Amino acid sequence: MAPKADSAEGIVLNFVNEQNRPLNSQNAADSLQKFNLKKAAVQKALDSLADSGKISFKEYGKQKIYMARQDQFEIPNSEELNQMKEQNSKLQEQLAEKKKAITEVEAGIKALQSNLTLEDIQARQIQLSNEAKQMEEKLIKLRQGVTLVSPEQRQAVEKLYMDMINHWRKRKRMFKDVWDAITENSPKNPKEFKEELGLEYDEDAGISLQSFDGLVQGATKRAKR
């Protein structure tokens, strides 16, 4: 007599038949937690079903492996197997198409989420309008010849610039003195030695101290006024 479908044995029997693969009691208990079946109850049901011949089992030492009885299943012939393979292939193609469609939809959702909302657009418009107004006011002042930088601020910037140029010139001179002392009696070619050490001159970086002399002289003239 078949166990009731809602009994522990009925639930376990249905699970073993659906899985149709070798299982131990732990595999079954883990999968049947949703039915509030404890491992002890699952083990008891498996043993009862095996003893009554409703499922098969084999012992490997202390381990018992349970399986669905294979004589209850219809074995497909070669033609049916080929049809199943073709159907499986078509299903795989449909699955790939569905996944592709899902990916495209998700990409579209992300693109929409990255767009600004109406509130964001309005806030951005107000911000840009304010910035444009400020720039326009500044442009009007420049056209009217209004001084936007005070003489004190200009002198402070010019002094800082001149100090940096002097530091540059001083360090350049210090390096030249040390480099000349090292290479004066060195048997190595200075150019090859420089490349070996990985040194770079200002010119190697595309700049030169002399190119800034005009700016320094202009700043000095203004500072004297």
Side-chain angles (χ1 to χ4, degrees):
M1 182 177 178
K4 293 182 179 180
D6 57 351
S7 66
E9 286 190 16
I11 293 172
V12 172
L13 177 60
N14 184 56
F15 173 74
V16 173
N17 287 335
E18 282 183 351
Q19 294 296 308
N20 193 21
R21 62 184 176 87
L23 298 164
N24 58 31
S25 59
Q26 187 63 56
N27 299 145
D30 291 342
S31 299
L32 296 174
Q33 286 182 356
K34 58 185 178 181
F35 294 101
N36 295 321
L37 292 178
K38 303 295 183 182
K39 183 180 179 182
V42 173
Q43 181 69 68
K44 182 179 178 181
L46 287 169
D47 290 337
S48 177
L49 291 168
D51 291 341
S52 63
K54 292 182 175 63
I55 62 174
S56 303
F57 82 96
K58 290 184 179 181
E59 292 189 40
Y60 297 92
K62 295 181 179 181
Q63 181 83 340
K64 287 185 177 181
I65 301 299
Y66 303 89
M67 296 163 288
R69 289 185 55 169
Q70 298 303 302
D71 56 5
Q72 65 179 314
F73 301 114
E74 292 184 5
I75 301 176
N77 55 38
S78 58
E79 183 179 351
E80 290 173 332
L81 284 174
N82 290 332
Q83 290 177 353
M84 292 171 66
K85 288 180 180 179
E86 291 180 4
Q87 185 179 9
N88 181 62
S89 178
K90 291 179 181 179
L91 290 173
Q92 290 293 335
E93 292 178 0
Q94 293 176 6
L95 178 61
E97 292 176 357
K98 296 294 184 184
K99 287 183 177 180
K100 182 180 179 181
I102 291 173
T103 301
E104 292 175 353
V105 170
E106 289 177 344
I109 292 173
K110 289 182 179 179
L112 290 174
Q113 289 176 339
S114 64
N115 292 336
L116 295 176
T117 64
L118 179 60
E119 291 77 8
D120 293 335
I121 293 173
Q122 290 174 343
R124 182 62 174 162
Q125 182 180 14
I126 293 173
Q127 178 186 353
L128 292 174
S129 297
N130 291 335
E131 291 178 359
K133 184 178 179 181
Q134 292 174 2
M135 295 175 67
E136 187 175 350
E137 291 174 353
K138 185 176 180 180
L139 180 60
I140 292 174
K141 290 181 179 180
L142 289 172
R143 287 173 175 172
Q144 293 174 347
V146 177
T147 302
L148 300 180
V149 180
S150 66
E152 292 77 13
Q153 291 175 322
R154 185 183 64 192
Q155 290 176 5
V157 172
E158 290 176 347
K159 183 178 183 304
L160 178 62
Y161 176 82
M162 292 169 62
D163 289 343
M164 294 298 102
I165 292 297
N166 289 334
H167 279 301
W168 185 0
R169 183 178 290 106
K170 181 179 179 181
R171 291 178 181 273
K172 188 177 180 69
R173 185 168 57 250
M174 290 171 60
F175 169 78
K176 185 177 184 305
D177 292 341
V178 173
W179 181 249
D180 289 345
I182 292 174
T183 57
E184 183 177 2
N185 298 316
S186 175
K188 292 187 176 182
N189 181 284
K191 184 177 180 181
E192 295 178 353
F193 191 30
K194 167 178 165 285
E195 293 178 354
E196 182 181 339
L197 295 176
L199 298 176
E200 289 186 351
Y201 294 160
D202 294 342
E203 293 74 13
D204 296 329
I207 60 173
S208 66
L209 179 60
Q210 290 74 17
S211 63
F212 292 86
D213 284 344
L215 295 176
V216 174
Q217 292 173 3
T220 305
K221 289 179 181 179
R222 285 193 299 270
K224 292 179 179 179
R225 292 176 183 174

